[in-house]
Amino acid sequence: MDQPLKSPGQSALDDAFHRLFDLSRSEPAPTLEQRLDRLARLRAVVADNEARFEAAISADFGHRSSVETLFAESMFMLGEIKHTARHLKKWMAPRRVATALQFMPAKNRLIPQPLGVVGIIAPWNYPLQLTLAPAVGAIAAGNRVMIKPSELVPRFSALLKEAISAKFDVGEMVVTGIEEEIAKSFASLPFDHLIFTGSTRVGRLVAEAAGRNLTPITLELGGKSPAIVDRSADLAEAAERIAYGKLLNAGQTCIAPDYALVPEGLVQDFADKVQASMRTMFGTSPDNKDYTSVVSDRHYARLESLVTDAAAKGARIMQVAKPDDPAWKSKRKFPPTLVVGATADMTIMQEEIFGPLLPVIGYKDAAEPISYINRHDRPLALYWFGKDDAARDEVLARTVSGGVTVNDCLFHFAQINQPMGGVGASGTGAYHGEWGFDTLSKLKPVFYRSPFNRLADLYPPYGAKIARMEKLLRFLS
């Protein structure tokens, strides 16, 4: 049967993958020096193009705070690369593993090896960091890398492709195009590992495509990450920190606090304090350069519909301006919004918000937030505010989430020695630092038999010797 003709983009994609694949098999183990050189070149990609990346990302968004790009993207990446380069020799070394007594004096070792070719499907919300952070782990582990940037940030994607191609050979790392046929085909390639960051809905499609090749996957998804304000919390402090976590990147952050659970009698006081903090940090004008735009008209309209639906169903809306105000809408800046009294029948409580909208929900007793969270998909992040250690530990013990920050938001993500990843519908697998190296390596167990070991006593013909061996094994078991 005739094979369907491939588009030029698909043919180029296949050729690029097979080039990487063949090299990963013929030259499977880059040396420490080669990996450090690749990390140094990746650092140069970031450092030499900081201003260009900042301008491209801002242009793609409509406006992106330069400070947010600096700290959440460029500086984060430079720190991750430096940490990885500093520790790589240790990570690459064979690891000693204890040997059971009955096999002594043999020894066990765990030897990290490259998997081969790692695919990265990148999101738009932090396009530099969430594209290159997985690439750091992949390079450190000795893999070849293929990247599919987001079509929602075309200027950044084009610049990244240019910058990578200037520093890397096509047999080391490749950035593909963002055309529709490439996006559909990318996850179907037989990678040795595939990393996807994005929505749960698309994550399911990626997992399905990867599953046809039995490709291992790391999914960093999202969901509705709660912020619990305990009765013991400093309300003003919690309000300020939740406001910052919600409005960073205009709420377009996968680990942003999605909604706040607050003791019933404190709901209005909390909402007033959050709104005051939002005004202090970002003012009341769409011209504020610290406040980031929503990435597209479609996403802006989606946020408008969430507010309209909530208001129609009885929620009280607190905003510094209306979203349809031409001064805000023309810049695609969505006014910071609190939705007080959100209920389960509102669309805003049924899907990830991914924008500067904060539902505030009252609860009666400490068990209620735990019960509410456990009735829904496990979140990517959870935030708890308070001074009652017993109440905090109860929440930590009885809820499951991808990560937790206590008495603040977001900062567990920045801990280089902690894994970053979801659980259930919010993702699978983890990366960052050594966790990324291990995820993207095959940790191969090797048993070195000793000539002095009596394992030959297990060979037939069986007889009295097997009875002696059985007694020994039973004694040791």
Side-chain angles (χ1 to χ4, degrees):
M1 181 182 294
D2 292 338
Q3 295 294 318
L5 292 175
K6 293 182 179 179
S7 71
Q10 288 174 312
S11 295
L13 182 70
D14 288 346
D15 290 346
F17 171 79
H18 287 296
R19 184 188 303 112
L20 293 168
F21 182 88
D22 291 344
L23 282 169
S24 75
R25 269 51 180 178
S26 63
E27 302 172 18
T31 64
L32 171 63
E33 290 71 24
Q34 288 173 313
R35 301 182 199 195
L36 289 174
D37 173 64
R38 291 173 186 175
L39 288 172
R41 282 184 275 143
L42 190 62
R43 180 181 175 83
V45 166
V46 178
D48 295 350
N49 294 281
E50 269 193 68
R52 297 178 72 201
F53 281 135
E54 188 277 322
I57 293 170
S58 186
D60 282 332
F61 272 69
H63 172 73
R64 202 333 169 63
S65 166
S66 60
V67 175
E68 291 178 350
T69 300
L70 174 65
F71 285 103
E73 308 236 42
S74 302
M75 297 305 296
F76 184 96
M77 282 309 311
L78 294 173
E80 177 118 358
I81 294 168
K82 182 177 181 180
H83 174 86
T84 299
R86 181 184 297 152
H87 295 280
L88 184 54
K89 183 177 180 180
K90 178 184 176 183
W91 297 347
M92 288 177 62
R95 305 172 191 185
R96 301 172 70 92
V97 179
T99 304
L101 187 60
Q102 59 266 39
F103 298 106
M104 296 294 287
K107 65 181 181 181
N108 286 313
R109 294 291 184 268
L110 204 57
I111 300 178
Q113 288 185 299
L115 292 174
V117 184
V118 173
I120 299 170
I121 302 177
W124 55 264
N125 57 325
Y126 292 91
L128 180 64
Q129 182 224 122
L130 294 177
T131 301
L132 295 188
V136 172
I139 290 171
N143 299 292
R144 318 278 168 164
V145 183
M146 186 177 232
I147 295 169
K148 206 296 284 182
S150 171
E151 68 281 359
L152 284 177
V153 283
R155 297 171 185 84
F156 166 80
S157 298
L159 177 56
L160 181 68
K161 187 172 184 177
E162 173 196 320
I164 292 293
S165 63
K167 294 291 185 182
F168 287 87
D169 181 81
V170 292
E172 296 173 318
M173 180 156 58
V174 175
V175 178
T176 70
I178 56 176
E179 295 78 16
E180 185 176 353
E181 70 270 18
I182 291 177
K184 290 180 177 178
S185 302
F186 193 93
S188 299
L189 292 170
F191 291 108
D192 295 292
H193 197 101
L194 181 62
I195 300 174
F196 169 79
T197 304
S199 71
T200 300
R201 180 186 65 82
V202 178
R204 289 191 174 96
L205 300 176
V206 169
E208 182 180 351
R212 298 188 193 105
N213 296 311
L214 297 181
T215 297
I217 55 175
T218 297
L219 300 175
E220 186 186 326
L221 306 177
K224 299 188 74 61
S225 297
I228 302 173
V229 179
D230 188 69
R231 291 186 185 278
S232 65
D234 180 321
L235 205 63
E237 180 180 86
E240 179 183 46
R241 294 175 182 180
I242 291 171
Y244 173 75
K246 168 55 77 172
L247 296 188
L248 180 72
N249 204 34
Q252 298 164 118
T253 304
C254 58
I255 56 170
D258 193 273
Y259 60 96
L261 295 164
V262 182
E264 273 188 350
L266 300 175
V267 166
Q268 189 55 53
D269 191 13
F270 172 79
D272 290 339
K273 284 179 166 59
V274 172
Q275 187 173 62
S277 293
M278 289 177 167
R279 288 173 182 263
T280 298
M281 285 187 275
F282 295 101
T284 59
S285 168
D287 295 324
N288 189 320
K289 295 184 182 300
D290 292 334
Y291 193 55
T292 293
S293 298
V294 173
V295 74
S296 70
D297 292 338
R298 179 173 63 85
H299 282 273
Y300 197 100
R302 179 183 62 82
L303 295 172
E304 282 187 293
S305 70
L306 292 179
V307 174
T308 299
D309 174 78
K313 293 173 180 175
R316 191 163 66 83
I317 310 301
M318 298 172 63
Q319 293 175 310
V320 298
K322 296 297 182 184
D324 60 359
D325 183 330
W328 290 78
K329 194 164 189 174
S330 63
K331 295 178 174 64
R332 266 205 324 271
K333 290 191 174 183
F334 201 97
T337 301
L338 284 91
V339 180
V340 182
T343 55
D345 63 324
M346 298 175 186
T347 309
I348 198 169
M349 294 307 300
Q350 297 168 5
E351 59 184 52
E352 184 177 8
I353 296 170
F354 226 69
L357 283 59
L358 181 69
V360 182
I361 303 169
Y363 67 84
K364 294 183 176 66
D365 57 62
E368 195 173 339
I370 295 172
S371 175
Y372 183 90
I373 292 164
N374 287 338
R375 288 198 305 270
H376 298 84
D377 288 339
R378 288 171 169 170
L380 183 58
L382 183 146
Y383 304 109
W384 187 90
F385 292 83
K387 300 174 183 176
D388 185 334
D389 292 353
R392 174 201 66 202
D393 292 345
E394 182 76 0
V395 171
L396 293 177
R398 294 184 57 199
T399 61
V400 179
S401 60
V404 177
T405 293
V406 174
N407 284 320
D408 216 322
C409 296
L410 311 179
F411 289 111
H412 64 283
F413 178 87
Q415 306 312 303
I416 195 66
N417 293 310
Q418 291 267 50
M420 174 60 198
V423 57
S426 62
T428 182
Y431 67 96
H432 274 352
E434 189 174 8
W435 294 88
F437 178 89
D438 286 351
T439 291
L440 299 172
S441 297
K442 167 56 185 173
L443 301 179
K444 183 167 71 178
V446 179
F447 174 75
Y448 297 85
R449 179 174 170 175
S450 167
F452 303 106
N453 192 269
R454 297 299 304 272
L455 288 174
D457 287 351
L458 291 172
Y459 300 170
Y462 303 123
K465 64 177 183 179
I466 204 70
R468 291 194 299 270
M469 182 60 73
E470 180 185 358
K471 285 182 180 180
L472 176 63
L473 293 174
R474 286 188 182 278
F475 174 75
L476 296 173
S477 300

